[in-house]
Amino acid sequence: LILRSPDSLVMDLSFALSQLTSLVRRATLRENDLAPKYEKVHNFKVHTFRGPHWCEYCANFMWGLIAQGVKCADCGLNVHKQCSKVVPNDCQPDLRHVKKVYSCDLTTLVKAHNTKRPMVVDMCIQEIEARGLQSEGLYRISGFSELIEDVKLSFDRDGEKADISSNVYEDINIITGALKLYFRELPIPIITYDAYPRFIETAKIADPEKRLESLHEALKLLPPAHCETLRYLMAHLKRVTQCEKENLMSSENLGIVFGPTLMRAPELDAMTALNDIRYQRLVVETLITNEDVLF
């Protein structure tokens, strides 16, 4: 029998505890990777409830015969109208309420499917990189519109089970078209309406280093799910430019294609919106070129 000193036992216990803490931390990090904690506001709509209903926030009865309160269209939470102003931004969208992929708010979609990014973005980019990076005019050449619409319907119907392989859609331009359509149909663009003016002002800065600094700060204005999706897209477009000799798509060309797709002017007059196009191009071009340092 070997007797060990109390100090030795304490050291062993401390080491075991540190190992356990490390394991828990790593497990938590892995869990966070799989289930990002994006904050999301509720999407409340005035609702008429049938039968007696109680507010799920204050637990008091919801009086009246019609329009007794509001209901979140994304998670189904029922509350008084006055309570909706103080409910935390903790909406957890339910797939029973989120029934489509296209035209759905980006944060709502990723929270409903418990993913980092919209599955349509991941799946389309993976398919493009698997068989289309050297395709001439990638993203510039349009695919057949009816087949692009077919891809959209497939995602809305089947979600991550949608088949976009070459067996179904041989032309890679159909997949690039479907991806661009997804971004165009977002109710709130990837570069949000709130952040839009800051990004445009950034593009007007002549000094490249100061422009980068300003762009880095502008990215912080984006909701986390938007910023993560933009990061993933820019890394992909950077890989597209690395095959420029074959596909003839430079960062400038991709900026022309994706500028108006990722950025939409919030209620600007036609002339201002037209003038903004060159700045939209420059924003995307800068994001692609410097994606490794900006994100």
Side-chain angles (χ1 to χ4, degrees), residues 49-205:
F49 299 95
R50 294 184 179 181
H53 265 75
W54 283 261
C55 175
E56 294 177 42
Y57 180 74
C58 70
N60 289 322
F61 189 71
M62 301 173 80
W63 296 96
L65 297 176
I66 60 170
Q68 304 98 320
V70 294
K71 183 185 186 80
C72 178
D74 298 329
C75 71
L77 182 72
N78 305 317
V79 297
H80 289 113
K81 186 175 181 181
Q82 61 268 33
C83 289
S84 69
K85 299 173 184 176
V86 293
V87 170
N89 296 335
D90 59 355
C91 179
Q92 297 293 333
D94 191 317
L95 287 175
R96 290 175 299 176
H97 302 287
V98 181
K99 298 182 184 294
K100 59 183 180 179
V101 172
Y102 279 68
S103 302
C104 176
D105 173 72
L106 192 150
T107 302
T108 299
L109 185 69
V110 297
K111 282 182 72 75
H113 289 271
N114 200 26
T115 57
K116 274 188 171 184
R117 299 172 296 272
M119 91 283 287
V120 61
V121 175
D122 281 12
M123 290 175 64
C124 284
I125 286 178
Q126 287 163 14
E127 190 67 26
I128 292 161
E129 296 200 350
R131 61 184 174 98
L133 283 181
Q134 297 185 347
S135 178
E136 185 177 327
L138 190 68
Y139 285 113
R140 179 177 56 78
I141 297 174
S142 300
F144 192 44
S145 59
E146 287 188 11
L147 291 177
I148 292 173
E149 192 68 23
D150 191 52
V151 173
K152 170 187 171 180
L153 294 174
S154 181
F155 273 114
D156 281 341
R157 182 182 64 247
D158 305 323
E160 61 187 16
K161 295 180 180 177
D163 186 358
I164 59 172
S165 67
S166 57
N167 295 330
V168 184
Y169 304 104
E170 186 178 354
D171 183 4
I172 197 64
N173 297 313
I174 294 167
I175 308 304
T176 59
L179 181 61
K180 289 187 293 182
L181 180 64
Y182 170 76
F183 288 126
R184 282 199 303 272
E185 291 196 351
L186 282 173
I188 300 174
I190 283 286
I191 294 176
T192 61
Y193 293 123
D194 288 342
Y196 181 90
R198 180 68 178 273
F199 277 85
I200 292 297
E201 288 306 310
T202 291
K204 294 177 181 178
I205 298 174

Side-chain angles (χ1 to χ4, degrees), residues 23-41:
L23 285 170
V24 170
R25 189 182 295 114
R26 285 201 296 271
T28 303
L29 286 172
R30 282 197 295 270
E31 181 185 343
N32 288 343
D33 283 344
L34 294 172
K37 303 298 188 289
Y38 295 143
E39 185 180 89
K40 181 191 176 315
V41 297

